Amino acid sequence: MENDGALGDRALPPARKENIPMTTESKVIRVLVAKVGLDGHDRGVKIVARTLRDAGMEVIYTGLHRTPEEVVDAAVQEDVDVIGISILSGAHMTVFPRLLKLLDERGAKDIMVVGGGVIPDDEVIQLKNLGVKEIMLQDTPPDSIVAMIRRIVVERGPR
Amino acid sequence: MAFVHSLNLVPRVLKGEVNAVARLLTRAEAGSHECRPALDEIFRRAGRAHIIGITGVPGSGKSTLVARLVAAIRQTGRRVGIVAIDPSSPFSGGAILGDRIRMGAIAADPGVYVRSMATRGALGGLARGTLEAIDVLDAAGYEMVIIETVGVGQDEVEVARATHTTVVVSAPGLGDDIQAIKAGILEIADIHVVSKCDRSDADKTVADLKNMLSMGLASARGSWQVPVVPTSAARDEGVAELVAAIDRHWTFLREGNRLEERRRLINERRLLKAGEEILRDQFVRQRNGQVLKLLEQLQARTLSPRTAAERLLQDIHPGDAP
């Protein structure tokens, strides 16, 4: 085709021919956020959902009073990268081990679990030892939440 | 966990394995080149499901209706796949997908698969990758696939070109009888639903729609008599009637060659849409740098937008696919 001057910048990157084994075209991080059990305090989880949305993530919010089974079913069907559980009820030492066990049973250990809420320091350590990737306490700034989710997904690697 | 190639997911999808279905949907939605041969395989094996679109304005009760509808369909034993669409932010690209909030009860049923999709910039009420998602769920053995569109305005009619049966949900109190005879979304209904019929002004909405249909617009749907089904989630009314209407429409389509005609329309639409997408991708990839130069000429008004666009397109090489 004739180069008429107006179109003179033809230095384009070569078309990609190699077969890249991952979804590079549109890498959107998907996060499922949920409240589990008898805990109706959802202002925090809504703020987190909004923060992640504004960071370009797709956030699936399941609403209140979910069981761990419902959360894991939804996370597998939605193929999310991360499950975020907001918990203020004190049931975290029951809920998180159950979630991790169910993910293992469903062959979905590539879904990372994080939590947020009011949790004693020594139990934060216990939960991380069990396999919860990160626990955010009540003083975590929104930017740190975004950075933490991105880091966890990068560390997990492509799937 | 190790990467599993999409073609290796296909046999697992065909067996209805949820994890495999979920992963293939993610790749289809991302527009991954790697999954195209797998989607070709899936397309060859799809074509059994009854595909139903549910559309209506935001807040008209689509998610609530879908939850009730699916619970009723499950009573008949059929497996149901649902694609529920919510909008992506035009600024961040992010989204809050909240359709599951109303689907708690059905989501735990192993005969139901729910997938939330964000529009990712697609217009017309569907999301990028919705059509491929229909194929995947169909091939995975879901006998009915329900597409719940993003909340639409008056003109997002894409769902009717992707589904066998289109259900338009209207809520009471949102317009007069002139709204009902306007062109656009109300014309695409194979079935009208008036939701929230426990409200006192619902009778008028039902009457307006029935009047509109009696004026002859129904002829756009051939000999099918478009029903108006009032529903109320609060009173648990109308859902059995809606299931009956949907099944009646499926029976109607399967008489003669109507279903084949509908499938031909859907396939024609998909063919043209895929062509447009390929061109658009090439356009985006190959226009690098040219836009700025042409923009300068537009700013100086030495070129018109139309002529500048023609120059831009001259330089697109159709054979140069990635």
Side-chain angles (χ1 to χ4, degrees):
Chain A
M1 200 171 289
E2 278 299 307
N3 190 332
D4 67 0
L7 306 170
D9 48 349
R10 299 281 296 278
L12 298 168
R16 210 172 48 237
K17 300 281 187 218
E18 74 276 16
N19 198 7
I20 297 179
M22 64 175 115
T23 55
T24 52
E25 284 78 3
S26 167
K27 194 76 195 100
V28 181
I29 295 177
R30 283 166 70 88
V31 184
L32 182 139
V33 296
K35 298 284 299 182
V36 177
L38 298 172
D39 178 357
H41 300 278
D42 63 352
R43 184 160 173 80
V45 76
K46 282 178 181 162
I47 290 171
V48 171
R50 172 71 197 266
T51 301
L52 299 179
R53 184 203 83 176
D54 289 344
M57 299 180 196
E58 289 180 359
V59 184
I60 292 126
Y61 182 48
T62 61
L64 298 169
H65 311 312
R66 297 302 170 201
T67 64
E69 286 77 4
E70 285 172 340
V71 169
V72 169
D73 276 344
V76 170
Q77 291 181 7
E78 299 285 0
D79 196 29
V80 293
D81 299 287
V82 178
I83 296 175
I85 300 293
S86 158
I87 194 154
L88 300 164
S89 65
H92 46 270
M93 294 310 290
T94 313
V95 165
F96 284 105
R98 180 97 190 111
L99 275 174
L100 293 165
K101 182 166 175 284
L102 287 167
L103 283 170
D104 193 10
E105 285 171 12
R106 307 281 166 86
K109 280 172 85 174
D110 57 353
I111 298 177
M112 307 290 118
V113 177
V114 301
V118 182
I119 295 171
D121 292 344
D122 58 328
E123 290 179 344
V124 170
I125 296 165
Q126 289 180 46
L127 288 173
K128 283 190 176 176
N129 286 338
L130 285 169
V132 176
K133 281 285 162 193
E134 201 67 67
I135 296 284
M136 289 151 288
L137 302 177
Q138 60 275 20
D139 53 357
T140 312
D143 288 352
S144 311
I145 300 175
V146 171
M148 182 271 296
I149 300 267
R150 288 198 176 125
R151 174 175 54 79
I152 287 172
V153 173
V154 169
E155 282 170 4
R156 184 207 58 201
R159 59 177 190 178
Chain B
M1 250 175 229
F3 179 85
V4 180
H5 277 279
S6 297
L7 270 173
N8 294 334
L9 291 173
V10 172
R12 293 166 56 195
V13 169
L14 297 175
K15 278 187 242 157
E17 203 183 299
V18 172
N19 303 45
V21 170
R23 188 58 44 85
L24 194 56
L25 287 179
T26 302
R27 291 185 190 158
E29 198 181 7
S32 149
H33 295 298
E34 188 273 335
C35 77
R36 280 195 196 140
L39 292 178
D40 290 351
E41 282 298 311
I42 292 287
F43 181 79
R44 279 185 214 118
R45 288 165 169 80
R48 284 167 299 175
H50 181 191
I51 302 158
I52 299 147
I54 312 271
T55 192
V57 300
S60 54
K62 294 182 294 298
S63 299
T64 305
L65 183 71
V66 167
R68 301 294 174 105
L69 179 63
V70 170
I73 293 168
R74 287 294 296 145
Q75 300 294 316
T76 67
R78 286 172 284 186
R79 300 172 72 224
V80 189
I82 303 162
V83 177
I85 305 168
D86 268 332
S88 295
S89 162
F91 302 109
S92 73
I96 293 191
L97 309 172
D99 290 312
R100 275 186 177 268
I101 296 171
R102 316 225 191 300
M103 295 183 192
I106 56 163
D109 178 344
V112 177
Y113 185 105
V114 183
R115 181 66 172 227
S116 311
M117 286 181 126
T119 49
R120 298 195 183 177
L123 300 174
L126 301 183
R128 277 188 59 165
T130 301
L131 301 172
E132 289 78 10
I134 293 172
D135 288 344
V136 171
L137 292 171
D138 180 338
Y142 293 96
E143 290 140 299
M144 287 179 127
V145 177
I146 297 180
I147 307 302
E148 181 196 330
T149 71
V150 67
V152 300
Q154 293 177 310
D155 201 24
E156 287 92 340
V157 296
E158 205 60 12
V159 65
R161 296 158 175 158
T163 59
H164 303 130
T165 301
T166 304
V167 178
V168 176
V169 184
S170 302
L174 286 178
D176 56 13
D177 52 338
I178 301 302
Q179 288 294 345
I181 58 170
K182 283 185 183 171
I185 181 133
L186 291 175
E187 286 180 280
I188 65 170
D190 298 301
I191 298 166
H192 280 286
V193 164
V194 177
S195 61
K196 310 182 191 191
C197 276
D198 39 285
R199 285 175 41 166
S200 57
D201 48 353
D203 289 348
K204 178 162 184 331
T205 305
V206 173
D208 285 346
L209 285 172
K210 283 187 172 163
N211 267 331
M212 176 269 283
L213 293 168
S214 70
M215 284 185 219
L217 285 166
S219 60
R221 289 271 167 248
S223 57
W224 170 252
Q225 296 291 315
V226 178
V228 180
V229 182
T231 63
S232 162
R235 289 191 198 150
D236 209 11
E237 285 172 2
V239 174
E241 289 79 359
L242 179 57
V243 176
I246 288 170
D247 286 341
R248 215 162 52 238
H249 189 246
W250 187 233
T251 305
F252 169 83
L253 286 177
R254 288 196 296 175
E255 283 162 7
N257 60 349
R258 292 187 191 113
L259 185 58
E260 275 311 297
E261 280 170 21
R262 192 99 176 194
R263 284 187 172 137
R264 180 181 288 272
L265 283 174
I266 294 170
N267 279 331
E268 184 187 1
R269 181 71 193 159
R270 287 185 68 169
L271 171 64
L272 297 177
K273 215 173 157 179
E276 284 171 14
E277 266 168 30
I278 292 168
L279 278 179
R280 199 180 314 116
D281 283 352
Q282 280 163 357
F283 179 68
V284 169
R285 238 169 339 100
Q286 297 186 17
R287 74 183 180 189
N288 294 352
Q290 295 169 12
V291 171
L292 280 180
K293 289 198 170 175
L294 289 166
L295 200 53
E296 275 170 33
Q297 296 182 60
L298 279 177
Q299 287 287 80
R301 295 198 181 264
T302 54
L303 265 187
S304 72
R306 173 88 199 180
T307 309
E310 278 170 4
R311 295 236 183 127
L312 204 51
L313 286 171
Q314 273 170 16
D315 223 29
I316 302 293
H317 305 286
D320 194 19

